[in-house]
Amino acid sequence: MTKIKEQIIATSLELFLTLGFKSVTMDEIASKLGMSKKTLYTHFKNKSKLVEESSIHLCNHICNGVDHIVDKENENAIEELYTVKKFVMLHLKGNETSPVYQLHKYYPEVHKKITALQFNHMEDCIKKNVTRGIKKGLYRDNIDIDFIARIYYIGIQGIKNLSIFPKQKFPMNELNDQYLEYHLRGIVTPQGRKILNKITNTNHN
């Protein structure tokens, strides 16, 4: 990828995540970059293509970052999930519901691609996490790892539904914390529960 394409994608993502995929125009992106719209179209033939490449770039960047966290294995499995959550929310500017909703509504094919990438990566990530948690005695050893990985993914997708979880009532960062605690309380051992209680008490305070 050329340096100018990288700059276009970085600037576009900043606008998309702040204002929404539908709301941002090519004129606004060109203006923010200090370039003509003609130059912008030289690198991306239309807005849909820019949305697609930007979304895939962000998804891959987040997935690579999560892999780095998981592969380091310098935290216990419970703390690891909270570190992953913080990393993801940081790169999605703390509130991913509105941009994801617009992507799903106005760019369904792009959303479909991103969803497939997310599922494949998240399934692998959660399987590794659960396997390690079981080995360390933090998660129960009688759980179905495949089921846990899939039900976790479904839940993560479900809490992004604005009609069920309106952001005015359920701020995204708090909602993610609530869901993560809900997920973990279903699989932890008494030893794991002590660690989880310590984390959640710190977060609440």
Side-chain angles (χ1 to χ4, degrees), residues 39 66 70 115 142 153 200:
T39 303
V66 170
V70 173
T115 300
N142 61 342
Y153 175 80
T200 54

Side-chain angles (χ1 to χ4, degrees), residues 60-73 80 84 87 121-122 124-125 128:
N60 287 334
H61 177 70
I62 291 175
C63 287
N64 290 336
V66 170
D67 283 340
H68 182 67
I69 293 169
V70 173
D71 291 342
K72 283 172 69 175
E73 295 190 7
E80 178 182 273
V84 167
F87 173 82
H121 181 267
M122 190 177 291
D124 183 59
C125 174
K128 286 180 181 177

Side-chain angles (χ1 to χ4, degrees), residues 15-16 20-30 40 47:
L15 292 170
F16 290 150
F21 287 96
K22 175 66 174 176
S23 308
V24 178
T25 66
M26 293 294 268
D27 282 319
E28 289 172 325
I29 294 169
L40 181 57
K47 184 183 170 185

Side-chain angles (χ1 to χ4, degrees), residues 97-135:
T97 49
S98 296
V100 169
Y101 174 78
Q102 288 200 4
L103 194 66
H104 180 263
K105 184 174 181 180
Y106 299 108
Y107 301 94
E109 289 305 312
V110 177
H111 183 266
K112 189 176 180 181
K113 287 183 181 180
I114 297 302
T115 300
L117 287 172
Q118 285 179 332
F119 173 72
N120 291 333
H121 181 267
M122 190 177 291
E123 182 185 31
D124 183 59
C125 174
I126 295 301
K127 282 182 178 180
K128 286 180 181 177
N129 179 270
V130 174
T131 299
R132 192 148 62 89
I134 291 173
K135 286 181 180 178

Side-chain angles (χ1 to χ4, degrees), residues 75-82 125-145 148-149 152 180-181 183-196 199:
E75 295 180 304
N76 66 60
I78 296 170
E79 290 172 340
E80 178 182 273
L81 287 185
Y82 279 93
C125 174
I126 295 301
K127 282 182 178 180
K128 286 180 181 177
N129 179 270
V130 174
T131 299
R132 192 148 62 89
I134 291 173
K135 286 181 180 178
K136 297 293 184 179
L138 302 179
Y139 299 156
R140 292 184 288 110
D141 60 7
N142 61 342
I143 56 179
D144 185 323
I145 296 175
I148 294 298
Y152 180 81
L180 187 50
E181 181 180 351
H183 161 74
L184 286 166
R185 289 207 180 278
I187 63 175
V188 292
T189 60
Q191 180 186 347
R193 190 176 301 113
K194 290 178 182 178
I195 296 172
L196 179 58
I199 293 172

Side-chain angles (χ1 to χ4, degrees), residues 4 8 35-44:
I4 191 165
I8 292 171
M35 66 171 58
S36 68
K37 198 160 66 167
K38 182 179 179 181
T39 303
L40 181 57
Y41 279 114
T42 300
H43 296 279
F44 296 94

